[in-house]
Amino acid sequence: MKGTLLLLAFLVIGELGFQTSEKACASFFGVYLSTVSGNRLWLHHELSYFNPTDGETKSFEKIQDYYEEAGLKAKSQDVQFMASMLFSSECLKYYSKDTMTKILSVITKKWM
């Protein structure tokens, strides 16, 4: 599925340089939600924090195009999958309550 491709892209573009796990998690969800949203302007805004190359930006745009082609059902299933990962017992043990609150605020501000 295209969601797997998105996760692979995030792993391949590891040189984006996350400094802490808290920032990495919030940054990941910001880029993820902007990619799923279909909004190019938002995607470019989220990617701008990492100074991506033209190739990296084009890659994320292509992933965004795949999400647009897949439609609302695929997007909602992917978001449900990501939420289940984020709120899994392992993730909740790993991240502090403060971090989870910050991630939740990113999701609710930008997605809802």
Side-chain angles (χ1 to χ4, degrees):
M1 177 170 213
K2 308 294 185 197
T4 306
L5 179 62
L6 174 66
L7 291 174
L8 179 60
F10 283 131
L11 292 173
V12 169
I13 304 176
E15 69 267 5
L16 292 178
F18 299 133
Q19 294 176 350
T20 66
S21 59
E22 180 177 318
K23 288 181 182 177
C25 196
S27 299
F28 171 80
F29 282 100
V31 173
Y32 172 74
L33 291 172
S34 66
T35 303
V36 174
S37 76
N39 185 320
R40 282 280 205 267
L41 187 60
W42 182 17
L43 175 64
H44 291 167
H45 171 74
E46 291 295 329
L47 291 175
S48 71
Y49 294 111
F50 307 105
N51 299 316
T53 64
D54 288 341
E56 289 167 338
T57 300
K58 295 270 186 240
S59 296
F60 277 96
E61 289 173 352
K62 186 66 176 170
I63 293 167
Q64 194 176 51
D65 292 341
Y66 287 141
Y67 271 107
E68 287 301 299
E69 290 172 15
L72 187 60
K73 181 178 179 185
K75 289 179 186 183
S76 65
Q77 288 174 336
D78 250 18
V79 170
Q80 288 173 348
F81 170 72
M82 293 302 293
S84 70
M85 275 185 10
L86 177 62
F87 297 110
S88 69
S89 59
E90 293 85 4
C91 195
L92 290 173
K93 285 179 194 172
Y94 183 74
Y95 293 110
S96 69
K97 202 173 217 176
D98 184 50
T99 302
M100 294 302 286
T101 303
K102 288 178 186 176
I103 293 167
L104 207 61
S105 74
V106 167
I107 292 170
T108 54
K109 279 183 192 173
K110 295 184 177 180
W111 188 255
M112 304 294 171

